[in-house]
Amino acid sequence: MSPPTMPPLTIGVLALQGGVGEHIALLQKAAAHLASTQPETLPSDPPFSFLEVRTADTLAQCDALIIPGGESTTMAIVARRLGLLDPLRQFVKVDNKPVWGTCAGLVMLAEEASATKQGGQELVGGLDVRVLRNRYGTQIQSFVADLELPFLGEEERPFRGVFIRAPVVEEIIAPAAEGEVVNGAGKKGGVEVLGVYRKKGGGEGEGDIVAVKQRNVFGTSFHPELTDDVRIHVWWLKRVLEGVRHGGLVVSA
């Protein structure tokens, strides 16, 4: 049975800094991929529209949002000056709309951040985690690494993660449920670890958390938009479709 017809979903990309055009280009490719391979899952033709978000009025038009990379302190300052911080918090934490943050976007979506600049920085929140900014050093210490991301499918090839002054999830601060067993890859208090980067030679249990999801919020330390690989964008658009059908919550990995 075909899904019920609905208007195109509007996907916004916060356009204060970072790879805005790159995200939109990969979103367009991901939408085309879904249209060609899984047309029965799409509620309309075209199923999505994409726009750059710089104002609260534009944000209000969006069904889902990507917060791209950049410099998180600067992004927060600009968002405050544009009157966007409180609307972003409403979008993420009250309206429960699907949101994905990459690199600095992950920092913005964390409830806490360490290694911030003097005076700290404002955050949007939504993920019950503390992130460590610039985990791997400065711009010249950027690198690319193969990541095993089981949420893309067990048979899938590794994903080439681009890490540029990347943060990592330092700690999940959500309290564990009674009797819940927490390890390197799993859930704690509703926060699901979706990806861990392990340096060559590291032990099985060692590694940095580089992808997490909690309810409607998804975050990655790395930059999928700086590759030609559409798989994470395809996965996220499918979660957006599911989330909108379930009242704004991204319900499954």
Side-chain angles (χ1 to χ4, degrees):
M1 179 181 295
S2 299
T5 301
M6 56 191 295
L9 299 178
T10 300
I11 312 298
V13 179
L14 189 65
L16 306 182
Q17 264 194 333
V20 178
E22 290 86 349
H23 264 300
I24 290 178
L26 221 53
L27 284 167
Q28 291 169 336
K29 290 180 181 179
H33 175 84
L34 282 174
S36 64
T37 61
Q38 302 178 43
E40 72 283 355
T41 68
L42 303 180
S44 61
D45 185 17
F48 304 103
S49 63
F50 307 106
L51 78 166
E52 299 182 5
V53 174
R54 295 184 180 87
T55 67
D57 287 343
T58 308
L59 179 64
Q61 300 174 36
C62 297
D63 298 294
L65 181 72
I66 290 177
I67 303 179
E71 205 288 318
S72 58
T73 306
T74 301
M75 290 172 67
I77 291 171
V78 174
R80 169 62 69 189
R81 289 176 178 170
L82 294 176
L84 269 169
L85 266 182
D86 288 335
L88 283 167
R89 290 169 179 146
Q90 171 83 24
F91 190 97
V92 176
K93 301 166 76 170
V94 179
D95 298 337
N96 292 319
K97 293 186 177 182
V99 182
W100 172 15
T102 61
C103 195
L106 169 62
V107 176
M108 293 286 288
L109 291 171
E111 288 292 334
E112 297 180 7
S114 57
T116 61
K117 293 183 178 180
Q118 186 174 6
Q121 69 179 85
E122 293 190 275
L123 302 170
V124 173
L127 287 169
D128 288 322
V129 302
R130 179 170 62 249
V131 297
L132 172 63
R133 297 170 75 248
N134 301 332
R135 165 69 174 88
Y136 305 108
T138 64
Q139 190 91 5
I140 62 172
Q141 293 164 308
S142 302
F143 64 96
V144 178
D146 284 340
L147 301 173
E148 300 292 337
L149 300 177
F151 69 92
L152 294 178
E154 292 186 1
E155 302 302 319
E156 291 286 351
R157 66 189 185 280
F159 193 95
R160 294 289 281 170
V162 179
F163 292 83
I164 303 173
R165 296 180 62 195
V168 299
V169 173
E170 186 175 42
E171 183 179 355
I172 296 173
I173 60 176
E178 184 176 353
E180 184 177 20
V181 177
V182 180
N183 51 34
K187 286 186 177 180
K188 178 184 177 184
V191 178
E192 185 172 2
V193 176
L194 297 183
V196 175
Y197 166 61
R198 294 182 174 88
K199 293 182 180 180
K200 290 183 179 180
E204 182 64 27
E206 300 174 1
D208 292 325
I209 298 173
V210 296
V212 291
K213 178 172 73 67
Q214 183 179 16
R215 290 169 61 86
N216 56 307
V217 187
F218 173 51
T220 56
S221 299
F222 51 95
H223 291 269
E225 77 281 7
L226 299 183
T227 74
D228 293 325
D229 195 332
V230 301
R231 286 179 293 164
I232 296 181
H233 284 76
V234 167
W235 175 88
W236 186 69
L237 285 181
K238 290 168 69 175
R239 303 288 80 75
V240 169
L241 287 169
E242 291 181 15
V244 170
R245 289 172 183 151
H246 290 81
L249 300 182
V250 180
V251 294
S252 66

